[in-house]
Amino acid sequence: MQYVSTRGLAPALGFGDILLTGLAPDGGLYVPATWPTLAPEVWAPGRPYGEVAVDVMFPFVEGSLSRDDLAAMVSEAYAGFDHPAVCPVVPLGDLHLLELFWGPTLAFKDIALQMVGRLFDHELRARGERATIVVATSGDTGSAAIDACVGRPTLDIVVLHPAGRVSEVQRRQMTTVHEPNVHNVAVEGTFDDCQDLVKALFADVAFREQVRLSAMNSINWARVMAQVVYYVTATAALGRCSFTVPSGNFGNIFAAWVAEQIGLPIDQLVIAANRNDILARWVASGSMVAEEVVPTVSPSMDIQVSSNHERLLFELSGRDGPATADLLGRFRSLGAVDAPRTNRFDAATIDDTTTLATIRRVHNEHGMLIDPHTAVGIAAALTQRRSLDVPMVAVATAHPAKFPDAVEQATGIRPALPARLADLLERDEHYDGLPNDISAVRAYVLARVT
Ligand SMILES: *Cc1c(COP(=O)(O)O)cnc(C)c1O
């Protein structure tokens, strides 16, 4: 399998190269040169998650990785999940929930990152190289990326989080990991400042090569690829169904769109947004208009520039790289553009009042605690569903204990952490503080990894 850039000016590369490169040199994102086709037997009922995962991912890595190596990574990646089905589908009244939070750090990002850490390690060992991962996080990505790098001597990871702006559970999931290759930094600034610092590091070509800088954020194609799998296993369990996905960077729901491209029968695809709803406004109007990010009770979706949306816009332009580059360039400079549209998605914007009311209602009616991101999805699923004859699957992206304040505010109950994390609030924390200053961050990374 070869990969091409959405901006059309970078050479086509194989999977191993695009894995380590992350962003293409022309500023675009990598996508497969052609979409493979899955045989319907792949989503036959009753197959174990790991077997389906190998069938779904192999066409995307073919030429870089053997099927046996892929299968070994898959079985290791998901062995540590707290649920034997890995991504179970459970009924919830008229809906179904696809639970994606049984991994080590309690959010769906583990499903992709547990694979990505192993894929990096394998590729770097084969090349006899090491890499430095630098990640900016508003909460969930940081801990999932750290967990993916623990015990891998080929990788160093530096995670920048905005000081005082992530929840205590989220911060402690990062800062209580004491490993020689894990470096946590609290930056005096916002999440956007952290993200700008990471972009500035990537833009410094000499530095980028010196430390072999790599990305594990959701622009990395391997993350999307690993997320396609659970749409296939959910369809195997329920037959043709619809999906509602709580969305921020558009990675998770783009994986559902990819599943459909490669043959999976899907009815509706619903984008669930909080008040940061650039995607829902695009579905309604065809315009992409960036607004100020407003903080919500579902902070992992407090995003106005959804990086993976570029992959879909590339497809909607007929895979026209220069047109995509022009569109994204105008969006960057003007903050608003008319973009190509599709009627493939439905979308809903859910405010905090409705989110909290949904958490409360699900608890009252079903005795189940759900996290605020999942609640946004459930509320959107209920308003957007067109047919009661087709199963509607709301994607549950985080464990309720990861967002205990919102759950307690809605229900009066503070959800307990799973036993393996029960002492999280007593563990020792280690992290460094840095100003929002690129030279300070550059010096810090150099001192830690060289
Ligand atoms: C990251 C995240 C999202 C948003 O997913 P995208 O792939 O960025 O659209 C939703 N919910 C939770 C809990 C997350 O951590």
Side-chain angles (χ1 to χ4, degrees):
M1 174 64 77
Q2 291 289 107
Y3 287 82
V4 297
S5 164
T6 52
R7 303 206 181 170
L9 289 176
L13 295 172
F15 178 79
D17 289 319
I18 63 124
L19 174 75
L20 299 183
T21 308
L23 200 66
D26 61 2
L29 309 190
Y30 285 109
V31 289
T34 54
W35 294 113
T37 307
L38 281 187
E41 297 78 62
V42 175
W43 61 90
R47 302 183 67 214
Y49 189 89
E51 275 181 26
V52 178
V54 174
D55 286 345
V56 170
M57 290 193 274
F58 185 62
F60 293 110
V61 303
E62 205 167 355
S64 293
L65 203 64
S66 75
R67 207 180 157 93
D68 286 347
D69 285 339
L70 177 68
M73 280 182 234
V74 164
S75 82
E76 261 184 57
Y78 301 117
F81 276 51
D82 288 334
H83 198 290
V86 184
C87 299
V89 179
V90 303
L92 182 80
D94 282 346
L95 303 175
H96 290 83
L97 277 192
L98 172 56
E99 294 184 342
L100 303 183
F101 51 68
W102 294 104
T105 73
L106 311 179
F108 86 93
K109 294 185 171 70
D110 286 325
I111 295 162
L113 284 165
Q114 285 296 314
M115 273 308 294
V116 167
R118 288 172 171 83
L119 288 163
F120 263 92
D121 197 41
H122 184 273
E123 186 67 28
L124 289 165
R125 275 173 203 272
R127 297 175 183 220
E129 291 176 16
R130 306 185 78 246
T132 303
I133 309 291
V134 182
V135 191
T137 187
S138 60
D140 293 339
T141 300
S143 57
I146 287 172
D147 202 279
C149 292
V150 166
R152 302 195 191 289
T154 50
L155 294 170
D156 274 292
I157 180 162
V158 178
V159 178
L160 309 182
H161 72 264
R165 291 174 196 251
V166 298
S167 80
E168 186 178 14
V169 171
Q170 289 177 320
R171 187 189 71 240
R172 284 178 163 276
Q173 282 186 302
M174 300 188 280
T175 60
T176 59
V177 177
H178 308 309
E179 295 282 337
N181 65 335
V182 173
H183 314 283
N184 278 291
V185 180
V187 173
E188 293 302 331
T190 64
F191 169 64
D192 288 333
D193 294 329
C194 295
Q195 199 145 36
D196 287 345
L197 287 167
V198 172
K199 282 190 196 138
L201 292 180
F202 271 90
D204 180 341
V205 176
F207 175 82
R208 182 173 167 164
E209 281 166 12
Q210 188 180 2
V211 303
R212 203 346 160 186
L213 206 55
S214 283
M216 277 195 187
N217 57 5
S218 68
I219 59 141
N220 197 308
W221 165 259
R223 281 184 57 177
V224 176
M225 170 185 84
Q227 291 172 189
V228 174
V229 177
Y230 44 75
Y231 294 104
V232 179
T233 56
T235 301
L238 298 172
R240 180 188 171 90
C241 53
S242 298
F243 293 100
T244 301
V245 187
S247 295
N249 253 327
F250 201 72
N252 203 357
I253 194 158
F254 182 67
W257 184 91
V258 170
E260 183 170 55
Q261 293 313 296
I262 64 177
L264 194 72
I266 296 178
D267 196 47
Q268 283 181 267
L269 283 175
V270 181
I271 297 168
N274 65 23
R275 290 299 303 279
N276 300 291
D277 63 348
I278 183 168
L279 293 169
R281 288 183 281 112
W282 165 70
V283 166
S285 71
S287 299
M288 275 164 58
V289 182
E291 291 178 354
E292 280 288 293
V293 175
V294 291
T296 71
V297 295
S298 48
S300 302
M301 309 195 305
D302 292 349
I303 289 170
Q304 280 290 346
V305 179
S306 302
S307 47
N308 272 288
H309 196 214
E310 177 166 345
R311 290 192 160 106
L312 182 68
L313 295 172
F314 174 67
E315 299 288 344
L316 297 179
S317 76
R319 296 204 146 208
D320 185 336
T324 307
D326 175 61
L327 182 78
L328 272 296
R330 279 186 291 124
F331 179 61
R332 273 244 151 246
S333 56
L334 305 173
V337 285
D338 285 330
R341 287 173 86 170
T342 165
N343 57 11
R344 184 62 193 99
F345 297 92
D346 297 297
T349 301
I350 306 298
D351 65 18
D352 279 358
T353 309
T354 308
T355 303
L356 294 170
T358 303
I359 298 175
R360 191 176 314 116
R361 207 174 97 199
V362 168
H363 183 249
N364 288 344
E365 290 177 8
H366 307 286
M368 183 190 253
L369 293 176
I370 54 166
D371 103 284
H373 305 79
T374 304
V376 169
I378 290 173
L382 293 171
T383 61
Q384 297 301 308
R385 186 178 196 178
R386 280 200 291 261
S387 163
L388 283 175
D389 298 332
V390 182
M392 170 57 88
V393 180
V395 174
T397 51
H399 190 287
K402 198 148 190 180
F403 299 93
D405 295 336
V407 177
E408 186 172 21
Q409 190 186 343
T411 64
I413 299 170
R414 204 165 174 85
L417 285 161
R420 64 187 161 75
L421 290 170
D423 65 344
L424 184 69
L425 301 184
E426 281 89 60
R427 293 183 194 167
D428 281 345
E429 289 190 83
H430 277 299
Y431 59 98
D432 300 298
L434 285 180
N436 175 19
D437 172 55
I438 181 65
S439 43
V441 175
R442 196 190 289 116
Y444 178 92
V445 176
L446 278 174
R448 294 302 178 289
V449 309
T450 47

